[in-house]
């Protein structure tokens, strides 16, 4: 029976859309109107939505399935901005569920490249209110009250619900955000907007009561540098790490109780699994995305080139804030197989080849 076959790491196809400001590439999407397809193996051609319908907790793990049901919890996309993104804002989970029966949106941006005039507008320079915002958006002078952040490669920005946000200049950003269409457009910056990009019902007026009008204060960065692992976000909706792979990393999925998603930011990596009866090796080239179902108990990530960097994202079922970052544990154990420390419940073990 097909159902008895074991799930395996899934290479996902990219979905590309072109807009006035640049391109949007979905690397992983389960939105119904945008749905990633598996690229190879016996599940090739199935969409993520179909896989969620069929395999449920086998795809995402018990805890995530109990919480999110058949909805994959987050999406991954790359924004190639060559002009200016419309000014947007997103609601939190509670308001989005009550009003629209959707998830809200927590969002993480990682800057992959920053060229000329690369900037983000995040929140306001000073306290303001709905009346002033409406007036300025209608006049096209909203920039005067927006807080501007210069962008550089490698930077990461957490954008919480209620924070107005936009990108401008020549910049490429990787976005991890909740699986939700809840982007409300406050101002198009004078560009033509297609209905594919923004639902006309998600506009300025509908967003006025959940915008944070206080002067912007950047969220505390999550940065903790481990030997290979840098924590970028730990939210109840998703955890995101940047992995700098200089040695193979053995990941025990069952310890995380979650699926794992990897996007290759630079270099090239291999993902090796030993599924009973088959050994599988998935090569992850720059820009590619792999989803490892929760059913796969463990796997090895190994760099194939110098300078291999991956984004790792999953949903941590526990309240572990810093599961494998324990300042009291020496960075290197003398042991050949180095884990993060004897007390650590994290599923990462590093192999150092001397």
């Amino acid at each position: 029976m097909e159902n008895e076959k074991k799930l395996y790491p899934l290479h996902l196809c990219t979905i590309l859309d072109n807009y006035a400001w640049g391109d949007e590439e979905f690397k992983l999407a389960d939105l119904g109107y945008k749905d990633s397809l598996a690229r190879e193996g016996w599940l090739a051609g199935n969409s993520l939505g179909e896989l969620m319908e069929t395999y449920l907790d086998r795809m995402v793990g018990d805890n995530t399935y109990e919480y999110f049901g058949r909805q994959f919890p987050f999406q991954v996309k790359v924004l190639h901005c060559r002009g200016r993104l419309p000014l947007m804002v997103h609601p939190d989970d509670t308001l989005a569920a009550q009003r629209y029966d959707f998830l809200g949106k927590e969002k993480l941006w990682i800057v992959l490249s920053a060229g000329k005039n690369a900037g983000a507008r995040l929140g306001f320079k000073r306290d303001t209110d709905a009346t002033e915002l409406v007036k300025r958006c209608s006049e096209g002078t909203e920039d005067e009250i927006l807080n501007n952040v210069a962008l550089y490669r490698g930077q990461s920005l957490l954008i919480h619900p209620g924070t107005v946000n936009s990108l401008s200049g020549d910049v490429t950003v990787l976005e991890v955000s909740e699986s939700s269409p809840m982007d409300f457009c406050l101002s198009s910056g004078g560009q033509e907007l297609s209905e594919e990009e923004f639902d006309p019902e998600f506009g300025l007026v509908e967003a006025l009561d959940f915008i944070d009008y206080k002067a912007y204060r950047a969220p505390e960065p999550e940065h903790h540098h481990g030997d290979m692992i840098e924590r970028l976000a730990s939210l109840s909706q998703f955890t995101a790490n940047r992995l700098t792979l200089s040695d193979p990393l053995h990941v025990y999925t069952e310890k995380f109780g979650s699926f794992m998603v990897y996007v290759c930011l630079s270099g090239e990596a291999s993902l090796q699994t030993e599924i009973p009866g088959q050994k599988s090796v998935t090569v992850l080239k720059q820009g590619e995305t792999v989803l490892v179902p929760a059913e796969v108990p463990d796997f090895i990530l190994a760099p194939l080139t110098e300078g291999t960097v991956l984004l790792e994202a999953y949903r941590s079922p526990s309240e572990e804030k810093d599961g494998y970052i324990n300042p009291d544990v020496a960075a290197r154990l003398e042991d050949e197989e180095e884990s993060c420390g004897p007390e650590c419940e994290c599923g990462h073990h590093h192999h150092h080849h001397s």
Side-chain angles (χ1 to χ4, degrees):
M1 249 174 69
E2 188 114 293
N3 234 9
E4 296 313 304
K5 281 191 183 173
K6 287 286 183 211
L7 300 181
Y8 57 91
L10 300 163
H11 244 133
L12 299 174
C13 301
T14 292
I15 305 166
L16 179 65
D17 291 305
N18 309 104
Y19 297 113
W21 50 264
D23 303 326
E24 179 177 64
E25 267 187 286
F26 273 92
K27 299 287 183 186
L28 181 155
D30 174 25
L31 292 167
Y33 63 97
K34 281 201 182 18
D35 208 345
S36 298
L37 299 180
R39 211 169 76 188
E40 55 228 359
W42 58 272
L43 292 169
N46 281 284
S47 70
L48 185 51
E50 290 165 341
L51 295 170
M52 290 296 296
E53 288 286 326
T54 310
Y55 300 106
L56 314 171
D57 55 323
R58 290 173 61 187
M59 281 296 294
V60 292
D62 293 343
N63 192 281
T64 297
Y65 180 63
E66 276 165 32
Y67 191 86
F68 288 93
R70 294 173 190 201
Q71 169 73 67
F72 195 84
F74 58 76
Q75 57 196 14
V76 180
K77 59 185 173 180
V78 176
L79 305 169
H80 300 275
C81 179
R82 291 186 292 275
R84 177 172 182 153
L85 249 72
L87 184 66
M88 331 182 236
V89 69
H90 20 91
D92 65 15
D93 287 340
T94 308
L95 186 140
Q98 284 168 353
R99 276 192 205 169
Y100 302 99
D101 201 21
F102 281 123
L103 292 173
K105 202 170 257 195
E106 287 279 2
K107 198 150 97 171
L108 170 70
W109 278 350
I110 300 156
V111 181
L112 301 182
S113 72
K116 232 174 139 166
N117 309 327
R121 285 167 185 75
L122 292 177
F124 300 102
K125 281 181 195 166
R126 54 173 173 77
D127 291 2
T128 180
D129 58 32
T131 311
E132 182 177 24
L133 181 62
V134 170
K135 181 172 181 290
R136 286 189 173 274
C137 284
S138 65
E139 295 167 352
T141 60
E142 65 272 12
D143 267 14
E144 293 169 26
I145 56 168
L146 295 173
N147 168 55
N148 217 350
V149 180
L151 298 180
Y152 56 87
R153 184 170 177 257
Q155 186 177 11
S156 67
L157 302 159
L158 259 182
I159 305 169
H160 291 312
T163 304
V164 300
N165 61 90
S166 170
L167 285 171
S168 61
D170 177 12
V171 59
T172 301
V173 164
L174 181 80
E175 175 182 310
V176 182
S177 54
E178 280 179 86
S179 286
S180 168
M182 295 271 97
D183 281 316
F184 286 68
C185 179
L186 308 181
S187 162
S188 70
Q191 303 173 86
E192 282 293 304
L193 290 185
S194 69
E195 289 200 8
E196 275 135 53
E197 188 177 1
F198 285 102
D199 186 321
E201 289 177 29
F202 300 161
L204 174 61
V205 174
E206 289 76 19
L208 289 174
D209 66 340
F210 64 79
I211 292 171
D212 180 354
Y213 294 103
K214 295 242 181 305
Y216 179 74
R217 284 180 48 232
E220 284 299 307
E222 280 287 352
H223 294 272
H224 310 281
H225 286 276
D227 198 23
M228 296 161 95
I229 299 161
E230 181 190 358
R231 172 68 54 88
L232 301 180
S234 42
L235 305 166
S236 62
Q237 294 86 350
F238 59 84
T239 297
N241 301 314
R242 181 167 23 210
L243 306 184
T244 304
L245 277 188
S246 45
D247 294 293
L249 193 61
H250 198 156
V251 182
Y252 293 90
T253 323
E254 50 200 0
K255 284 204 178 175
F256 288 90
S258 171
F259 61 90
M260 309 295 281
V261 170
Y262 293 94
V263 184
C264 184
L265 304 183
S266 64
E268 200 172 303
S270 74
L271 193 154
Q272 302 152 34
T273 54
E274 294 247 10
I275 295 161
Q278 65 187 92
K279 187 172 178 166
S280 105
V281 177
T282 306
V283 174
L284 199 52
K285 294 185 162 69
Q286 187 169 336
E288 292 183 337
T289 306
V290 165
L291 163 59
V292 185
E295 182 173 88
V296 176
D298 71 308
F299 53 91
I300 289 171
L301 282 174
L304 297 177
T305 62
E306 287 282 307
T308 295
V309 180
L310 305 179
L311 173 89
E312 172 184 74
Y314 56 92
R315 184 170 178 270
S316 182
S318 64
E319 285 301 297
E320 66 97 31
K321 268 305 241 191
D322 310 317
Y324 42 79
I325 297 127
N326 182 345
D328 307 327
V329 175
R332 304 246 165 192
L333 299 176
E334 295 308 308
D335 195 352
E336 150 62 9
E337 169 147 323
E338 178 197 6
S339 82
C340 313
E343 302 307 310
C344 173
E345 277 305 296
C346 124
H348 289 128
H349 289 269
H350 309 207
H351 295 272
H352 290 286
H353 298 297
S354 39

